Amino acid sequence: MNEPYYITTPIYYVTDVPHIGHLYTTLAADIMARYQRMRGKDVWFLTGTDEHGEKIQKKAKEQNVTPQELADRVVERYREAWKFYEITNNDFIRTTEERHKKVVTNYMKQLMDTGDVYLGEYEGWYCVPDESYWTETQVVGGKCPDCGRPVEKLKEESYFFRMSAYQDKLLQHIEANPKFIIPESRKNEVTGFLKQGLKDISVSRTTIQWGIPMPPNPKAKKEHRAYVWFDALTNYISALNPDSKDSKFERFWPEAIHLVGKDILRFHAVYWPTFLMALKLPLPKQIVAHGWLTDSNRKISKSLGNMVDPIALAKEVGLEGVRYFLFREFVFGMDGEYTKEVVYQRINSDLANDYGNCVNRLATMIEKYLGSAPIEIETALKHDSELKTCAAENIPAFHAALVDFGYHRALESAWKIISAVNRYIESNAPWTLAKSAAPEDKEKLARILIHCHESLRIVSLLVLPFIPNAATKALGYLGAEESLKASVPMDFAQWGKGPQKILPRKGEPLFPRLEWKPAAT
């Protein structure tokens, strides 16, 4: 059986429609899922929606609908967006599903039975938008230290989770597993937070009705609902049906990799691991935190009025142009400044000019200079060339970067091969060699074009997780799509591992050039 690989996105609030920040995380998971499948892994890719909590309850009241009606309506926008972007998730979890609520209830009861969750009274500050609790010393000027929005003073009976008991154990785990949280800067944030000391946290609310009920307790004076973060985080396990007879949980959970935005890192890297420790469950394998897309150094979000509609953007510049741009332009893990003009520049420069034009140009030259019959290439590929050397250097660099979530570095390595092909064509001028009747020139011409072909075949396999439709089409133009039918296609992204005979065919441009029209001022 193939090696398991489990990757998740956060589950997204159903208070509003998907925006480019949601897309960024989801595409990151999709690219990695596609890549790992091409490496022969047995991939389980989970995304979904977070449908409980005060924020959703308030939003539903504003719209004069029930929270469930709001959730049912908005969740379809997520399903439609991910279908439009051809996201290859295996499952879509909703926290209002019975399979999820059952697991949350069972886990909460288990923690109450062990004393890790106990009844008390909470008094302090609460941020509704972030669903987070803060102490008096953490709140600055009556505002949330994370998002800067006003907090509310709460005093109510509450269940508490004994998080303080797991501080040292979590620190030890992070120190023993250096890659548990990446990038390094985010790991340092978490360890710094832990070393300040963990306090027990409230894990229930009595003032909201829209949530999963806490297990019965005769000592409780009021009806309690589970804190939304305990509810939400449990989705990563509830989607694997931990209580069923199938082996999905045992197979995939130890391999779990959570992709999250930096704003929810604390919940995933502190709250979630301590919950799991209390439940005596294995921790996820890795937590990968990325930065924000920014506009004038401000996070792009609906609340700031600078939201980018991912579907409208794709209809304007092309779906795969967006997929490429987001992971070539920005360093995953760092904030990145988004501007529409740079989107156009990247797509025109890298995709239309460098890659797309090169593939079509080469297919045309092979047909023109080498004829329309199948061409045997094995002998030519045994010769050395700068392209062969370039591929030998950049193929392993691509894999090393991507397995470590260095999306931009992986694409840089792929584009070094593409740039080398373009230079090789210009410096060797096959159109000049084609005019010569000398046998050695004919042989050199064939070798040049075959080495260019092999380089572009390899690149098209490497970049397929990023731009799957265009890369598949390019392999078709190159007459090399047969490797996609293999059980481990990435094994064929090596020099000389493709078809022994080729018959390229030119086609429509992979990426038509876009015309940039600045917005009127």
Side-chain angles (χ1 to χ4, degrees):
M1 188 178 287
N2 293 352
E3 186 181 341
Y5 187 91
Y6 181 33
I7 192 162
T8 72
T9 73
I11 51 173
Y12 305 116
Y13 277 130
V14 291
T15 50
D16 222 311
V17 297
H19 59 67
I20 200 165
H22 301 133
L23 176 70
Y24 186 50
T25 320
T26 308
L27 280 179
D30 181 64
I31 290 165
M32 192 58 68
R34 288 173 181 267
Y35 171 69
Q36 296 293 351
R37 290 188 192 109
M38 288 182 70
R39 296 179 70 210
K41 298 282 187 73
D42 179 15
V43 173
W44 198 259
F45 168 18
L46 176 69
T47 189
T49 45
D50 181 1
E51 303 182 13
H52 289 134
E54 186 172 5
K55 188 158 50 169
I56 291 154
Q57 183 175 300
K58 284 187 173 183
K59 189 79 169 182
K61 188 175 182 181
E62 289 169 11
Q63 298 184 13
N64 199 29
V65 295
T66 67
Q68 189 66 61
E69 287 171 334
L70 174 66
D72 290 344
R73 186 177 71 221
V74 177
V75 75
E76 289 308 312
R77 300 293 294 273
Y78 281 94
R79 291 188 191 276
E80 289 165 9
W82 302 159
K83 183 178 179 181
F84 179 84
Y85 266 92
E86 300 175 5
I87 303 300
T88 59
N89 54 295
N90 298 85
D91 196 0
F92 189 103
I93 183 80
R94 299 180 61 182
T95 58
T96 51
E97 293 178 57
E98 287 303 318
R99 61 169 172 162
H100 174 75
K101 290 191 281 189
K102 179 183 175 185
V103 174
V104 172
T105 302
N106 287 346
Y107 283 172
M108 193 63 85
K109 185 177 186 307
Q110 184 179 326
L111 293 178
M112 289 168 67
D113 289 345
T114 60
D116 283 291
V117 166
Y118 59 92
L119 194 62
E121 185 175 74
Y122 175 78
E123 183 172 9
W125 297 99
Y126 183 69
C127 174
V128 174
D130 283 352
E131 309 273 12
S132 57
Y133 295 94
W134 300 100
T135 64
E136 194 74 45
T137 56
Q138 291 171 317
V139 170
V140 181
K143 293 184 177 179
C144 171
D146 267 0
C147 71
R149 285 172 283 194
V151 291
E152 298 177 0
K153 193 68 177 282
L154 288 182
K155 183 175 182 180
E156 60 180 5
E157 182 183 72
S158 179
Y159 284 96
F160 288 84
F161 169 62
R162 216 176 289 279
M163 192 164 71
S164 58
Y166 297 95
Q167 172 186 318
D168 293 341
K169 191 176 179 182
L170 179 54
L171 265 172
Q172 289 166 11
H173 181 83
I174 294 170
E175 288 166 3
N177 298 274
K179 292 283 189 179
F180 178 60
I181 303 167
I182 62 171
E184 186 79 13
S185 59
R186 303 298 174 210
K187 182 180 81 171
N188 292 340
E189 285 177 23
V190 173
T191 55
F193 179 80
L194 286 169
K195 287 174 181 177
Q196 291 174 21
L198 290 184
K199 294 181 171 62
D200 294 355
I201 60 163
S202 172
V203 289
S204 74
R205 296 290 308 277
T206 60
T207 55
I208 62 170
Q209 292 76 47
W210 186 238
I212 298 174
M214 292 290 285
N217 180 359
K219 294 182 180 179
K221 298 173 184 175
K222 295 184 177 181
E223 184 181 7
H224 291 252
R225 304 281 169 168
Y227 175 41
V228 69
W229 273 106
F230 185 95
D231 170 358
L233 290 162
T234 307
N235 90 90
Y236 302 125
I237 288 179
S238 64
L240 297 176
N241 302 317
D243 300 321
S244 70
K245 292 180 180 179
D246 68 31
S247 59
K248 198 181 296 176
F249 174 73
E250 288 78 7
R251 178 163 175 73
F252 288 105
W253 177 246
E255 303 302 318
I257 295 174
H258 299 324
L259 295 189
V260 301
K262 66 178 185 178
D263 51 331
I264 55 173
L265 175 61
R266 178 162 48 90
F267 299 105
H268 284 81
V270 178
Y271 289 29
W272 182 223
T274 55
F275 291 159
L276 292 167
M277 286 175 173
L279 289 164
K280 297 180 171 52
L281 292 170
L283 302 196
K285 185 175 184 178
Q286 195 170 46
I287 300 163
V288 183
H290 64 75
W292 290 338
L293 300 186
T294 60
D295 172 19
S296 301
N297 294 316
R298 299 183 309 157
K299 180 186 178 184
I300 292 178
S301 68
K302 184 178 184 296
S303 61
L304 294 175
N306 58 358
M307 193 177 82
V308 177
D309 180 343
I311 292 180
L313 180 63
K315 288 179 178 177
E316 181 180 342
V317 303
L319 185 154
E320 298 207 330
V322 178
R323 289 181 67 106
Y324 174 81
F325 166 78
L326 288 173
F327 295 92
R328 178 63 181 84
E329 185 67 23
F330 306 127
V331 177
F332 199 73
M334 307 290 287
D335 291 351
E337 184 74 3
Y338 168 89
T339 63
K340 181 75 72 66
E341 185 174 6
V342 176
V343 177
Y344 275 71
Q345 289 171 354
R346 270 285 176 203
I347 292 171
N348 283 335
S349 171
D350 295 13
L351 296 178
N353 290 359
D354 292 349
Y355 179 54
N357 183 55
C358 190
V359 169
N360 262 323
R361 187 184 187 193
L362 182 68
T364 300
M365 285 194 292
I366 291 176
E367 183 179 5
K368 183 177 180 180
Y369 301 142
L370 303 185
S372 56
I375 305 154
E376 195 278 325
I377 64 173
E378 186 176 9
T379 303
L381 291 179
K382 290 178 180 177
H383 289 266
D384 289 332
S385 72
E386 60 193 72
L387 291 185
K388 191 173 183 178
T389 301
C390 182
E393 293 172 352
N394 285 289
I395 293 168
F398 174 92
H399 293 301
L402 194 49
V403 296
D404 206 27
F405 297 89
Y407 297 92
H408 68 291
R409 288 186 286 113
L411 288 173
E412 281 175 0
S413 296
W415 250 254
K416 284 178 183 177
I417 300 174
I418 295 169
S419 297
V421 172
N422 280 313
R423 288 195 305 271
Y424 197 68
I425 290 172
E426 292 304 318
S427 62
N428 285 283
W431 46 87
T432 301
L433 288 171
K435 296 174 183 176
S436 172
E440 60 271 22
D441 285 341
K442 293 291 185 187
E443 184 182 331
K444 183 180 180 183
L445 171 64
R447 192 163 65 245
I448 288 165
L449 295 179
I450 288 167
H451 278 227
C452 290
H453 177 280
E454 182 69 357
S455 299
L456 291 179
R457 180 193 70 80
I458 290 168
V459 162
S460 296
L461 278 170
L462 293 178
V463 302
L464 193 140
F466 293 87
I467 45 173
N469 295 319
T472 300
K473 196 179 289 185
L475 288 165
Y477 291 173
L478 296 168
E481 62 267 72
E482 67 181 54
S483 58
L484 293 177
K485 299 172 185 175
S487 58
V488 188
M490 266 310 166
D491 283 355
F492 292 85
Q494 299 177 49
W495 194 268
K497 292 289 186 178
Q500 301 307 300
K501 289 185 177 181
I502 59 170
L503 186 59
R505 57 186 186 276
K506 60 186 177 182
E508 294 296 315
L510 292 176
F511 292 95
R513 282 189 60 80
L514 302 172
E515 184 181 351
W516 167 246
K517 295 179 180 178
T521 56

